[in-house]
C-alpha cells in the first residue's frame, strides 16, 4: 500500500516537473517553420535576378557605372543565401545547443542586416537614375548616344551624359529606364526579405538559446527568462 502511494506521488512529481519545464521545440513538426528556409531561397532567387538584370544593363553600354548596374548587390545576396542554407543544415544536428549553431545564426543575422542596407542603397541609386533617364533628351552622335536633361526643370547646368556603343538612343530612354524600374522592384523585395530574415534570426536568438536564469512561477507553472 505504501509503495503504491509512493509510486503515485513520484509520477505526480515527475508530471509537475514536466509541466514547469520549458516547452520543447516544435522543429520536428515543420522544419521550414523551424528555420526560414524560404527566406534563404528567396534571397538566392532575388540575388540571381538582380545580377542578371545588372549585366543586361551593362550590355547596353559599357559607359554605365557600377552604381547604375548593381550586380554587386545581387552577388552579396547570393552569398547571404548560401550562409542561410548552411545554417539550415547546422540547425538539424542532433546536438542543437552548439557554438557552431550560435555562430551561424549570428553571422546570418549580421549578413541579413548588411544585405538590407545594400539593397536600400542599390534601390536609391536605381530610383535616382530612373528619374534621370525618364527626363532624357537624347541625340545620336555616331556610335554614341548623347543625352541631356531638361535645362529649365531638372538640370540648370545642362549636364551631358554620353553612352558609348549605343546605336539607338531609344534603348536609353526605353529599355534602360525599364531596367532601372525593375531594379527598384527587385531591390525593394530584397530589402524586405533581408529584414524578415534578420527579424527571424533575432527572434530565434532569444527563443532557441536560453540566456540567463530561468525562474519557475509556482502559481502559473510557467518558466520565465531573465
Amino acid at each position: 500500500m505504501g509503495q503504491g502511494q509512493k509510486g503515485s506521488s513520484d509520477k505526480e512529481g515527475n508530471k509537475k516537473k514536466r509541466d514547469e519545464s520549458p516547452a520543447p521545440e516544435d522543429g520536428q513538426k515543420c522544419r521550414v517553420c523551424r528555420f526560414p528556409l524560404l527566406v534563404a531561397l528567396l534571397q538566392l532567387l532575388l540575388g540571381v535576378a538582380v545580377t542578371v538584370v545588372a549585366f543586361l544593363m551593362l550590355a547596353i553600354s559599357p559607359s554605365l557605372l557600377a552604381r547604375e548596374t548593381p550586380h554587386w548587390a545581387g552577388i552579396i545576396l547570393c552569398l547571404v543565401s548560401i550562409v542561410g542554407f548552411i545554417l539550415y543544415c547546422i540547425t538539424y544536428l542532433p546536438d542543437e545547443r552548439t557554438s557552431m549553431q550560435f555562430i551561424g545564426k549570428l553571422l546570418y543575422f549580421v549578413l541579413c542586416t548588411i544585405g538590407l542596407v545594400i539593397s536600400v542603397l542599390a534601390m536609391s541609386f536605381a530610383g535616382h537614375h530612373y528619374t534621370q533617364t525618364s527626363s532624357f533628351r537624347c541625340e545620336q552622335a555616331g556610335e554614341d548616344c548623347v543625352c541631356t536633361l531638361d535645362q529649365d526643370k531638372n538640370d540648370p547646368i545642362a549636364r551631358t551624359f554620353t553612352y558609348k556603343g549605343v546605336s539607338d538612343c531609344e534603348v536609353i530612354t526605353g529599355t534602360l529606364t525599364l531596367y532601372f524600374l525593375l531594379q527598384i522592384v527587385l531591390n525593394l523585395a530584397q530589402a524586405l526579405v533581408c529584414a524578415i530574415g534578420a527579424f527571424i534570426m533575432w527572434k530565434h536568438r532569444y527563443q532557441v538559446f536560453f540566456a540567463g536564469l530561468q525562474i519557475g512561477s509556482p502559481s502559473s507553472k510557467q518558466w520565465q527568462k531573465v
Side-chain angles (χ1 to χ4, degrees), residues 4 8 12-13 17 29 46 50 54 58 66 100 103 147 157 160 166 172 194 196 211 222:
S8 177
E12 292 179 357
K17 289 180 180 179
K29 295 181 181 180
L46 289 172
V50 169
L58 191 60
M100 183 65 68
I103 294 174
C147 301
I157 61 176
T160 300
V166 179
I172 301 298
C194 287
I196 293 174
Q222 294 178 352

Side-chain angles (χ1 to χ4, degrees), residues 156-225:
I157 61 176
R159 290 175 295 174
T160 300
F161 302 87
T162 302
Y163 296 93
K164 297 181 180 180
V166 179
S167 58
D168 186 7
C169 290
E170 189 67 24
V171 176
I172 301 298
T173 57
T175 306
L176 186 61
T177 303
L178 180 61
Y179 282 157
F180 280 131
L181 180 60
L182 189 57
Q183 286 287 4
I184 294 173
V185 175
L186 291 175
N187 282 283
L188 176 61
Q190 276 192 159
L192 293 176
V193 172
C194 287
I196 293 174
F199 171 75
I200 293 176
M201 290 300 100
W202 179 268
K203 183 179 178 182
H204 282 186
R205 171 61 183 87
Y206 290 100
Q207 286 189 356
V208 176
F209 297 95
F210 294 94
L213 298 176
Q214 294 179 335
I215 301 175
S217 176
S219 59
S220 60
K221 294 184 180 182
Q222 294 178 352
W223 289 72
Q224 296 178 352
K225 182 174 60 178

Side-chain angles (χ1 to χ4, degrees), residues 79-212:
L79 296 177
V80 174
S81 68
I82 292 175
V83 176
F85 289 125
I86 294 175
L87 180 60
Y88 176 79
C89 298
I90 295 176
T91 302
Y92 295 107
L93 290 176
D95 184 12
E96 294 189 272
R97 301 300 194 273
T98 61
S99 59
M100 183 65 68
Q101 185 189 18
F102 172 75
I103 294 174
K105 286 191 174 184
L106 180 61
L107 179 62
Y108 190 60
F109 171 78
V110 173
L111 289 178
C112 282
T113 305
I114 295 175
L116 172 61
V117 175
I118 290 176
S119 298
V120 172
L121 184 63
M123 183 176 60
S124 302
F125 283 141
H128 171 69
H129 292 296
Y130 172 77
T131 304
Q132 278 189 339
T133 55
S134 298
S135 305
F136 272 166
R137 294 180 178 179
C138 300
E139 295 180 357
Q140 197 69 40
E143 295 183 355
D144 301 335
C145 182
V146 180
C147 301
T148 56
L149 291 172
D150 192 340
Q151 183 175 358
D152 297 329
K153 297 180 180 179
N154 299 313
D155 195 4
I157 61 176
R159 290 175 295 174
T160 300
F161 302 87
T162 302
Y163 296 93
K164 297 181 180 180
V166 179
S167 58
D168 186 7
C169 290
E170 189 67 24
V171 176
I172 301 298
T173 57
T175 306
L176 186 61
T177 303
L178 180 61
Y179 282 157
F180 280 131
L181 180 60
L182 189 57
Q183 286 287 4
I184 294 173
V185 175
L186 291 175
N187 282 283
L188 176 61
Q190 276 192 159
L192 293 176
V193 172
C194 287
I196 293 174
F199 171 75
I200 293 176
M201 290 300 100
W202 179 268
K203 183 179 178 182
H204 282 186
R205 171 61 183 87
Y206 290 100
Q207 286 189 356
V208 176
F209 297 95
F210 294 94

